[in-house]
Amino acid sequence: MPLTNRTHLSTLTQFLIEERRRFPSASGDFNALILDVALACKAIARAVALGELGGTLGDHAADEGGNINVQGETQKKLDVLSNEVFIRRTEWAGNLAGMASEEMDLPYQIPPQYPRGKYLLVFDPLDGSSNIDVNVSVGSIFSVLRVSKEIEESGRDVCEADFLQSGAQQVAAGYALYGPTTMLVLTVGDGVNGFTLDPNLGEFMLTHPRLRIPEDSHEFAINASNSRFWEAPVKRYVDECLAGRTGPRDKDFNMRWIASMVAEAHRILMRGGVFLYPRDTKDPAKPGRLRLLYEANPVGMLMEQAGGRASTGERPMLGVQPTSLHQRIGLVFGSRNEVERIERYHAEPQRSELCNPLFAERSLFRV
Ligand code: AFP
């Protein structure tokens, strides 16, 4: 697109101001927070783009503060840097009561020299970071929650319980994707809009307004190396996709796996598809791989706002009541009809149950 043709595009600031006009009594704190988050994402985009030249690739050395995060995963230098950038860019403005992140065991308290506000920011500063060293797309995911009136008025320190809100209570959610272009994809509860970073202006421009996910799809994403640990409904769904035209779906499917959820979510927002990181039996201590508060919920809100669906496999993700800050959960999202099919497979009795005498011909629970 020639430069002159871009002048009609709204900037993120303009978009937020226009959205705010729907709420004449709004203070502007929310817009200021989103702009601070966007600035953090621009800074992370720069660090990611410099790669080896920035001296920030590789693992975070143990002598610089340890390299295992609360998840028991190896932290990359860029994980630590991105976490720091999110904190520094957003803590000072008086919009936040506290923060939580994949990289921090406990909630982050706003330092005493800064005013406290009415929002909570929850984020994964660099999702897919094991892809950094091989120059594959990574991203940041964030979710904005409101605090109770009691916290707003008292300004007290936040605790884990303050963050344990269902996904349906999110005020906003989004991600930045650090790919061939840097994009910010955002919902403030009225659809989903995509902004592309114009590196010349340093501004996010509204290039993808009102994103909608096609209801049907023939593309799925799953880490197939875990197949022996999958539960029966997931096995059935994937088997049917693989059988393609020769199976019950009567159409061929395509498969993708980037191992960077933000990038998969973006592909699905652009052209449909379904992503599964289901609960499995690989590690009985972990009910899923991905985290509810800063991965599943924000992606869930984006999907639902774009006409797609997000689920645990059994029930809508946004209805789940969190029980801990770093809780893991099975996650399925994408094109509505595919996700609903997977939920249906979970709801139907499994073949093993059908062999049970209770479900046999003329038995009590025959379906
Ligand atoms: P990292 O941030 O540790 O790379 O994890 C990425 C992620 O949380 C998510 O973005 C991917 O979909 C998923 O994990 C990949 O998991 P596998 O390594 O099991 O494929």
Side-chain angles (χ1 to χ4, degrees):
M1 193 189 305
L3 192 63
T4 46
N5 288 356
R6 277 191 241 135
T7 51
H8 70 283
L9 298 177
S10 300
T11 63
L12 175 63
T13 312
Q14 184 181 346
F15 168 84
L16 289 170
I17 289 172
E18 282 168 2
E19 278 290 306
R20 196 183 133 204
R21 290 196 184 120
R22 294 192 295 128
F23 306 97
S25 61
S27 62
D29 291 5
F30 174 77
N31 283 5
L33 172 60
I34 298 295
L35 290 174
D36 283 343
V37 169
L39 183 56
C41 294
K42 288 184 217 173
I44 297 168
R46 283 304 298 150
V48 168
L50 279 173
E52 193 65 48
L53 299 174
T56 49
L57 295 191
D59 291 349
H60 181 52
D63 58 6
E64 290 174 52
N67 63 353
I68 304 288
N69 70 9
V70 57
Q71 320 290 336
E73 292 161 355
T74 305
Q75 278 181 314
K76 300 283 179 187
K77 280 185 197 164
L78 271 173
D79 283 323
V80 177
L81 178 84
S82 306
N83 196 57
E84 190 70 14
V85 169
F86 256 85
I87 291 174
R88 296 291 160 252
R89 287 288 159 221
T90 58
E91 67 179 349
W92 61 275
N95 305 317
L96 287 176
M99 301 183 219
S101 145
E102 182 187 12
E103 305 303 334
M104 299 185 290
D105 199 352
L106 299 171
Y108 180 83
Q109 308 298 344
I110 302 301
Q113 68 268 33
Y114 301 128
R116 290 183 173 183
K118 54 180 179 272
Y119 296 104
L120 296 171
L121 182 64
V122 188
F123 53 94
D124 177 351
L126 204 59
D127 177 65
S129 55
S130 50
N131 281 327
I132 293 169
D133 296 345
V134 290
N135 200 10
V136 169
S137 297
V138 290
S140 304
I141 316 174
F142 59 91
S143 158
V144 180
L145 300 164
R146 276 212 67 147
V147 289
S148 63
K149 274 267 165 275
E150 178 261 312
I151 303 182
E152 205 182 320
E153 280 161 14
S154 68
R156 70 157 165 82
D157 278 4
V158 288
C159 62
E160 180 175 21
D162 300 319
F163 291 84
L164 304 184
Q165 304 182 28
S166 74
Q169 291 172 269
Q170 292 172 104
V171 179
Y175 62 78
L177 175 64
Y178 313 119
T181 57
T182 292
M183 284 194 70
L184 182 81
V185 176
L186 177 70
T187 177
V188 294
D190 178 32
V192 177
N193 291 283
F195 301 81
T196 304
L197 182 63
D198 181 331
N200 295 322
L201 300 178
E203 283 283 351
F204 281 112
M205 311 300 287
L206 179 56
T207 47
H208 296 69
R210 301 238 148 245
L211 288 166
R212 299 299 293 172
I213 301 175
E215 290 191 349
D216 293 299
S217 163
H218 52 267
E219 195 161 66
F220 68 103
I222 192 163
N223 182 345
S225 73
N226 292 325
S227 61
R228 68 187 185 283
F229 305 111
W230 293 339
E231 293 177 339
V234 173
K235 273 199 177 102
R236 174 181 170 191
Y237 177 77
V238 174
D239 282 350
E240 290 181 2
C241 292
L242 295 176
R245 225 181 270 279
T246 63
R249 299 299 306 273
D250 202 22
K251 61 177 180 180
D252 289 334
F253 279 75
N254 189 20
M255 205 208 79
R256 288 281 183 274
W257 187 249
I258 307 172
S260 189
M261 191 195 61
V262 171
E264 322 259 15
H266 192 69
R267 185 188 62 246
I268 289 171
L269 273 166
M270 292 294 127
R271 68 180 190 206
V274 65
F275 170 98
L276 303 95
Y277 215 122
R279 186 180 67 189
D280 61 28
T281 59
K282 191 172 185 178
D283 179 351
K286 289 182 188 164
R289 162 94 162 87
L290 302 180
R291 279 56 55 119
L292 174 58
L293 285 177
Y294 40 83
E295 291 181 316
N297 275 346
V299 161
M301 184 177 182
L302 288 162
M303 291 295 139
E304 301 274 344
Q305 285 288 323
R309 190 167 173 85
S311 170
T312 62
E314 278 149 344
R315 58 205 171 107
M317 187 58 69
L318 300 187
V320 174
Q321 174 57 47
T323 53
S324 65
L325 202 54
H326 299 288
Q327 177 178 352
R328 294 177 190 259
I329 198 153
L331 172 60
V332 176
F333 66 77
S335 292
R336 177 163 286 276
N337 290 340
E338 292 301 310
V339 177
E340 284 177 354
R341 174 183 287 272
I342 295 164
E343 287 177 319
R344 231 169 29 243
Y345 288 2
H346 279 88
E348 286 172 10
Q350 309 307 310
R351 283 193 190 93
S352 55
E353 286 170 0
L354 291 171
C355 298
N356 182 316
L358 286 176
F359 290 90
E361 278 305 327
R362 289 200 270 140
S363 76
L364 275 178
F365 303 113
R366 181 80 180 116
V367 285

